[in-house]
Amino acid sequence: MNRVYGRSEIIANFALMNGSLNSMLLETAVDELSKLPGIGRKTALRLALHLLRKEENVAYSLGESLIRMRRDVRYCPRCHNITEEPLCPICSSTRRNQKIVCVVENVKDVITIESTHEHSGLYHVLGGLISPIDGVGPSDLEIDSLVERVRDENVEEVILALSPTMEGDTTNYYIFRKLEDTGARISVLARGLSIGNELEFTDELTLGRSIVNRIPFANQRR
């Protein structure tokens, strides 16, 4: 079945083939949009043309929301999740179990795990995974602050909820070695997750079961 192209797609393809957008302002907008992850120049041009066709307030509203997000959203000093308050809503909630901390790679993983409704504790966002090939070492991540937090807050359990990849397993082992003398129970997600898959792409049911059926990290190493 032949695909039917929209007017903006036809214009975008024509402009890209001819190598000129005939507008420096449009060119600048396309350049900036194409810097976003997953956005190529063709998609960027289509988005820019879409905004040009809309009422001015649509573009203004988009721009203002992005500026406010960048200005007002910050990282929680306790868990490094995003927040607009001194502490994120999870850390400041009296309904959360303050003695259980779930360690994740990034903010997207917090959102993913929260969607399962199976974790009632807190979080700690590392900001990445140990990856020597990418030049990312332990000092580049929020690992020292995790160790300090576990000691200072008398955390009883640390759940290592990192993606089951080589980098995730390396980071798990490093954290385990740093925490094994703290007295905290260290557990890892049950291996219902597919090896090599990113956590954010795991369906909620599988992830939820992996949290509920988590196992001691030491058992996994045997």
Side-chain angles (χ1 to χ4, degrees):
M1 183 176 179
N2 294 330
R3 180 184 175 188
V4 178
Y5 288 89
R7 184 170 181 271
S8 61
E9 289 182 292
I10 295 174
I11 296 174
N13 289 332
F14 180 79
L16 289 172
M17 285 190 299
N18 284 274
S20 174
L21 301 182
N22 297 321
S23 169
M24 185 60 68
L25 294 177
L26 179 58
E27 182 82 44
T28 301
V30 170
D31 287 343
E32 293 303 316
L33 286 169
S34 62
K35 292 177 183 178
L36 296 172
I39 304 295
R41 281 188 62 81
K42 184 183 294 186
T43 299
L45 178 55
R46 189 162 61 246
L47 292 173
L49 292 173
H50 171 78
L51 290 172
L52 280 176
R53 291 201 314 274
K54 293 294 182 179
E55 296 293 331
E56 287 186 4
N57 66 293
V58 174
Y60 292 154
S61 178
L62 173 62
E64 183 181 354
S65 65
L66 292 174
I67 291 171
R68 289 183 60 192
M69 177 192 70
R70 188 63 186 87
R71 182 188 63 209
D72 298 336
V73 174
R74 59 183 67 90
Y75 290 100
C76 176
R78 186 184 187 189
C79 74
H80 312 291
N81 188 18
I82 56 174
T83 181
E84 300 169 29
E85 305 297 335
L87 282 180
C88 75
I90 296 176
C91 281
S92 58
S93 172
T94 58
R95 297 184 177 184
R96 310 291 297 217
N97 188 332
Q98 303 285 316
K99 296 300 181 180
I100 300 178
V101 174
C102 182
V103 179
V104 297
E105 176 184 352
N106 52 48
V107 173
K108 289 187 295 184
D109 291 340
V110 173
I111 297 171
T112 299
I113 293 177
E114 280 296 282
S115 69
T116 69
H117 304 290
E118 293 291 354
H119 176 60
S120 60
L122 307 181
Y123 291 92
H124 191 89
V125 181
L126 296 177
L129 298 174
I130 296 173
S131 178
I133 195 170
D134 295 319
V136 180
S139 62
D140 298 308
L141 308 176
E142 294 293 345
I143 294 179
D144 287 343
S145 62
L146 170 64
V147 176
E148 181 179 352
R149 183 179 172 189
V150 170
R151 295 185 188 279
D152 292 348
E153 298 181 16
N154 295 316
V155 173
E156 296 176 357
E157 181 181 9
V158 175
I159 304 172
L160 300 176
L162 304 179
S163 298
T165 61
M166 182 180 296
E167 293 79 9
D169 288 343
T170 300
T171 308
N172 277 342
Y173 181 71
Y174 183 85
I175 293 175
F176 172 76
R177 293 300 303 269
K178 296 284 285 187
L179 294 178
E180 60 182 340
D181 64 343
T182 62
R185 184 167 67 255
I186 304 172
S187 56
V188 67
L189 299 184
R191 287 301 191 183
L193 303 179
S194 300
I195 303 300
N197 281 356
E198 298 292 335
L199 199 69
E200 64 176 297
F201 300 122
T202 305
D203 67 271
E204 294 178 9
L205 181 59
T206 300
L207 181 57
R209 286 175 176 171
S210 295
I211 295 171
V212 172
N213 298 318
R214 59 187 182 274
I215 59 176
F217 183 84
N219 290 2
Q220 182 185 253
R221 298 172 60 208
R222 292 174 183 171

